[in-house]
Amino acid sequence: MSLRVLVGVKRVIDYAVKVRVRPDHKWVVTDGVKHSMNPFDEIAVEEAVRLKEKKVVAEIVAVSCGPPQAQETLRTALAMGADKAIHVEVPAKEAETLAPLHVANILAKIIQEEKIDLVILGKQAIDDDSNQTGQMVAGLLNWPQATFASEIVQDGDGLKVTREIDGGLEVVQVKLPAVVTTDLRLNQPRYATLPNIMKAKKKPIDKKTPADLGVDITPRQEIISVDEPPTRQAGAKVADVADLVQKLKEAGRI
Amino acid sequence: MSGKLRSRVINLYKQLHYMGKEYPKGADFFHTRLKKAFLKNKDVEDPKAIEKLIARGEYVIKEIEALYMLRKYRSLKKSYYPDEKPAQTS
C-alpha cells in the first residue's frame, strides 16, 4: 500500500508549564509562555512515521491551524519525519476562538484537495481538551473513524485498530479512507534531534488562509469567563477518636 | 585532534547544548555542567580515547531523551488517567 496520510498538529502551551488565567478572565496567559506540539499529536506524527517505515504509507502531510508561530510546531513534525507541511494561518486573536468545527472544516477541505487516504489526529489537545476534531472530520467527510487508538495494523486493504474504551479494549476494522485518533499508549514519540530540525528547514511548508479554503471561522461560541478550579481547603489534624467524632459532628457529616 | 574527530566533538556539544534547554533543573544548570565536562577532557589527544568519550556523550543523549519522554508520559498519565494504578501500564 502507498497511502497519503494527513496528520494534524496543534501548537499548545507546553505540558510542563503552570497555566495562569489572564486578568480579564477571558483566556489564559499565553504571552511569553513556552509552547510546544500537543503531545497526542506527537503520538499521531510518530505513528504516521512508523507506518511509513513499514512501507504502508508513502507520504505524510502535517497540517496546523494557528498563529504564525505554529510554523515552529510544523518544523518539529517535519523533523520527526513528515514530508511536507501545510500551515493554515489564523491571526493570534482569531486563533483563540477557533473551535473544533472550524478546524474540522479546514482539515476536510485540505483532505479533499490533497487526495488523502488516512487521517491521523491526536484524540484531544491538552489546552482545551475538546476531543471533537477527529470525530467531526470523519462526520464531515462521511468516513469511518477509529478513535482512541492504542494499536494500528494493516489488514488487507483496510486497517485493524485497537481502541481504548472504558474497562477494556475494542478492536475495529476500518476501510480506507478513514480517520484515526491516537491515545496515549499507541507509541512513544521520538525526539526531534538537532540535525533533523536543521534538515527539516529544507522541507516545504505551504501557507494558506481559511479564506483560501472557503472556510468561515467566525466564532459560534462566546467565552464568558475562564477561572481556576477552586483551591482545596486546608485540613486539620485531630488528636484522638473523640476529637474526630466531634469535628465530624460539627461539620454535619454524622 | 584531527579535523574529523574535531567536528564530531563539536556536533556532540551542540546536540547536548540543544537538549539541555529543556532540562528539568534549568538550562543553566545543565549548560555549566556540560561545559565543565568538555573542558575537563580538552587535553585528550589519543583518537581512541576521544572515540570513547564521544560514545559516552552519545549515551548521555539517549538517557536525556528517555528522561524527557518518561517525564511527559507520566505527567500526561497523571492528568488524563488519574484512577489507574502504576502496575497496570507497562
Side-chain angles (χ1 to χ4, degrees):
Chain A
M1 281 208 283
S2 56
L3 305 173
R4 285 171 62 82
V5 174
L6 179 139
V7 287
V9 294
K10 184 175 186 181
R11 175 180 177 268
V12 298
I13 293 177
D14 192 78
Y15 76 98
V17 171
K18 176 108 177 61
V19 177
R20 282 178 303 128
V21 172
R22 213 162 63 185
D24 67 356
H25 285 268
K26 291 286 175 200
W27 200 241
V28 292
V29 178
T30 53
D31 291 338
V33 169
K34 189 185 168 205
H35 283 69
S36 55
M37 193 197 295
N38 174 30
F40 289 109
D41 293 342
E42 269 180 357
I43 296 170
V45 176
E46 174 67 27
E47 194 60 24
V49 175
R50 285 189 191 184
L51 287 171
K52 195 182 174 190
E53 284 164 356
K54 283 186 203 150
K55 308 269 186 241
V56 179
V57 163
E59 195 180 18
I60 304 168
V61 185
V63 180
S64 186
C65 309
Q69 300 96 310
Q71 265 205 23
E72 292 159 30
T73 311
L74 283 170
R75 289 271 175 235
T76 316
L78 291 170
M80 285 173 75
D83 296 293
K84 69 171 198 171
I86 299 174
H87 179 202
V88 181
E89 197 170 327
V90 180
K93 194 92 195 125
E94 287 162 44
E96 278 175 18
T97 57
L98 201 67
L101 183 59
H102 303 137
V103 179
N105 269 317
I106 291 169
L107 290 180
K109 272 275 154 53
I110 293 174
I111 287 160
Q112 280 163 341
E113 275 180 17
E114 295 279 326
K115 297 186 176 56
I116 297 293
D117 307 298
L118 174 64
V119 181
I120 308 181
L121 304 172
K123 67 164 181 171
Q124 68 193 69
I126 61 165
D127 52 358
D128 56 10
D129 288 325
S130 294
N131 189 346
Q132 293 169 1
T133 308
Q135 291 87 329
M136 283 180 176
V137 172
L140 288 168
L141 294 165
N142 203 14
W143 284 10
Q145 56 178 308
T147 47
F148 317 132
S150 66
E151 196 188 0
I152 302 174
V153 285
Q154 187 193 342
D155 181 51
D157 48 3
L159 296 174
K160 207 160 87 185
V161 181
T162 308
R163 304 179 59 220
E164 291 203 12
I165 55 171
D166 285 344
L169 298 171
E170 179 182 63
V171 181
V172 292
Q173 267 177 312
V174 287
K175 284 185 189 147
L176 293 171
V179 178
V180 176
T181 71
T182 61
D183 212 324
L184 183 60
R185 279 177 274 261
L186 179 58
N187 60 44
Q188 282 136 0
R190 67 194 66 190
Y191 196 80
T193 56
L194 187 59
N196 283 343
I197 288 176
M198 293 300 169
K199 273 181 228 156
K201 288 193 176 157
K202 291 199 189 92
K203 291 184 181 173
I205 294 187
D206 266 0
K207 243 195 215 169
K208 286 190 160 90
T209 62
D212 292 346
L213 296 160
V215 176
D216 177 23
I217 57 158
T218 45
R220 297 160 66 99
Q221 290 175 339
E222 187 195 347
I223 295 170
I224 299 188
S225 127
V226 175
D227 287 293
E228 280 186 35
T231 47
R232 184 179 165 277
Q233 281 180 350
K237 274 191 180 170
V238 289
D240 49 28
V241 176
D243 198 8
L244 172 67
V245 172
Q246 202 209 331
K247 281 259 163 68
L248 284 172
K249 270 186 183 152
E250 272 170 26
R253 301 281 184 227
I254 50 172
Chain B
M1 210 192 296
S2 72
K4 220 174 170 190
L5 273 175
R6 192 182 155 77
S7 76
R8 273 179 65 198
V9 171
I10 292 172
N11 273 334
L12 181 71
Y13 187 84
K14 274 185 189 164
Q15 256 191 66
L16 280 163
H17 187 275
Y18 169 76
M19 296 193 80
K21 285 177 189 168
E22 284 177 52
Y23 200 71
K25 280 189 175 167
D28 287 341
F29 174 90
F30 189 89
H31 288 155
T32 46
R33 255 144 246 258
L34 172 67
K35 196 167 181 183
K36 232 163 79 192
F38 271 72
L39 278 178
K40 200 176 83 192
N41 294 315
K42 72 180 163 69
D43 296 323
V44 178
E45 293 289 341
D46 177 22
K48 267 190 194 150
I50 294 172
E51 284 285 355
K52 242 186 180 167
L53 288 166
I54 292 176
R56 209 179 91 196
E58 276 160 3
Y59 172 75
V60 172
I61 291 179
K62 282 217 183 84
E63 288 285 293
I64 299 171
E65 266 179 32
L67 168 79
Y68 288 170
M69 216 173 69
L70 214 65
R71 198 166 70 114
K72 192 179 280 180
Y73 179 83
R74 283 200 180 136
S75 73
L76 279 174
K77 211 169 102 40
K78 220 171 95 189
S79 27
Y80 290 105
Y81 306 84
D83 315 324
E84 287 178 33
K85 290 181 201 81
Q88 278 179 310
T89 60
S90 77

